Amino acid sequence: MSASPQQQMANLNAILRWSIEHGHKEDAPADAPSYAREMTAERRAWLQEALAGMVDTTDVIDVVAKRLQGLDADGVTPLQLDAAALVRAQEETLEEMLVVIDNIDFAKDFGQIGGAEALLSLLQSPHAGLRWRAAEVVATVVQNNPACQDMMLGFDVLNVLAAMVESDADARVRTKALLAIASQVRGHAPSMEAFLGTHGGLALMRQVLEREAAAAAAAPSREARKILFLVPGILDLRPTFARRARDAGLVDVVFEYCFAGGGGGGCGGGAAAAAAAAAAAYEHSPLRESALRASIALFRNGGGDVVSAKGMKRRVVERVVELAQLHLDEDMAMVAQDEAGLLKELAAAMGVWFLRMG
């Protein structure tokens, strides 16, 4: 049963009032990474119920777009908030959009009323909390949605996101921008062509992996993993990318991540050293898994080098042997077993490549 017009308006007013007022009593420092609090299950359920009671969500979209621009409901009057309060309100609004976009046709409604421009403007905000939240919303909007990918490509979103990845000082902003790039290009040939051509995607990918290599030695790199996760998706659309990646040296860089946090421990050094090596290997396992899957896809599509691949294959075999000799608890043993399976798959991909090239 549909809500009455009065109830619809009450829901809308409640949403707007809540998005401005909720959480503003917090006194966060100016350099804090986030003003807004994690959305609880109760908050999410309330917002979804309120939205479900609205017959025409265009009103909600319109107000969200204006809120992102710092304007009141009339679209002209600036919100009567000081600078810090406005940032908090916009951060809250971006977080609520992750709920709202499940209830609307973004390409048809949000884009048509200027919401995309408002969202994209926040990608270049001086406030990191707005930049990374805006990038996360972009990633959610375009994911598996060709109409939204078309819309955002038309706004040259890849140029903005690539610049964020390349030079933003905030690691979380860079990670979310990479997430948005991956969502924009995955399964969307025009975006893929733009990313690899106009926006120098291959060079950007190598830059990120090389930049994060030192950091990944101490702790897993989220930025590197985003790049590694993107590689198989690119090859699904453009198998010839493997040869370009080989010629640009990207294959070698990706391959090194297959051993992040997992090599050099061996079986010596005593029980304590072995335990420390096993713990480091376990922590880095998602990063290595992404690198192994990327390497498998690259080698299967001719991304190997006739000189270096022999040495690579030897390292893969040595790592399989090393994993078999580690003394691990049940959880780590399962991780090691999965990793060994991927390593053997990579060795097979290298072997197929050798046969093909003679």
Side-chain angles (χ1 to χ4, degrees), residues 148-169:
C148 293
Q149 289 169 311
D150 288 340
M151 176 183 70
M152 288 299 186
L153 183 62
F155 285 113
D156 201 19
V157 68
L158 287 171
N159 185 51
V160 178
L161 293 170
M164 294 167 70
V165 171
E166 185 175 9
S167 60
D168 200 292

Side-chain angles (χ1 to χ4, degrees), residues 262 277-278 281-286 288-289 292 316 319-344:
Y282 187 79
E283 183 184 12
H284 285 74
S285 60
R288 291 197 305 277
E289 178 184 346
L292 284 165
V316 170
R319 177 61 178 161
V320 172
V321 173
E322 180 185 16
L323 287 171
Q325 294 175 342
L326 290 176
H327 299 288
L328 305 172
D329 62 27
E330 184 176 354
D331 289 339
M332 290 186 181
M334 291 180 63
V335 171
Q337 183 177 2
D338 292 341
E339 182 177 334
L342 288 172
L343 285 162
K344 293 174 182 178

Side-chain angles (χ1 to χ4, degrees), residues 233-246:
I234 293 177
L235 289 166
D236 284 343
L237 286 179
R238 290 189 58 173
T240 56
F241 173 76
R243 291 193 291 274
R244 289 184 55 194
R246 176 195 63 199

Side-chain angles (χ1 to χ4, degrees), residues 195-208:
F195 176 64
L196 295 178
T198 307
H199 302 294
L202 194 155
L204 182 65
M205 294 168 71
R206 178 168 180 172
Q207 175 188 332
V208 172

